[in-house]
Amino acid sequence: MEHELRMGLSVWSIVAIVCNSVVGVLILILFVVLYKACKVPSHQEKVPVFTAEPEQRREQRYLLAAP
């Protein structure tokens, strides 16, 4: 025990520092990904044409078939 104290940091202290550094880098990457994901809009402003037309056709068919 005295031998480790004279050398400075023990092996386990260095391992803990390295592991904490890796976790810190991974958390930083996570925050960057979250930041970029929040900048992307979750919904589109315009409705695609191919999805709008069948809806209109269904409404027109209903209106034509209704008595």
Side-chain angles (χ1 to χ4, degrees):
M1 182 90 173
E2 291 179 23
H3 187 292
E4 288 180 6
L5 293 176
R6 279 187 269 141
M7 288 179 52
L9 294 175
S10 69
V11 174
W12 295 112
S13 298
I14 295 171
V15 169
I17 291 169
V18 169
C19 288
N20 286 331
S21 299
V22 169
V23 169
V25 168
L26 290 175
I27 290 174
L28 182 66
I29 291 171
L30 174 68
F31 280 126
V32 169
V33 169
L34 286 174
Y35 174 75
K36 290 190 178 218
C38 288
K39 290 178 73 174
V40 176
S42 60
H43 63 282
Q44 294 180 352
E45 301 267 335
K46 297 179 181 179
V47 177
V49 176
F50 61 87
T51 59
E53 288 182 11
E55 266 184 40
Q56 291 173 354
R57 289 180 190 165
R58 282 187 215 136
E59 290 175 353
Q60 289 173 355
R61 286 181 193 165
Y62 175 75
L63 292 174
L64 292 175

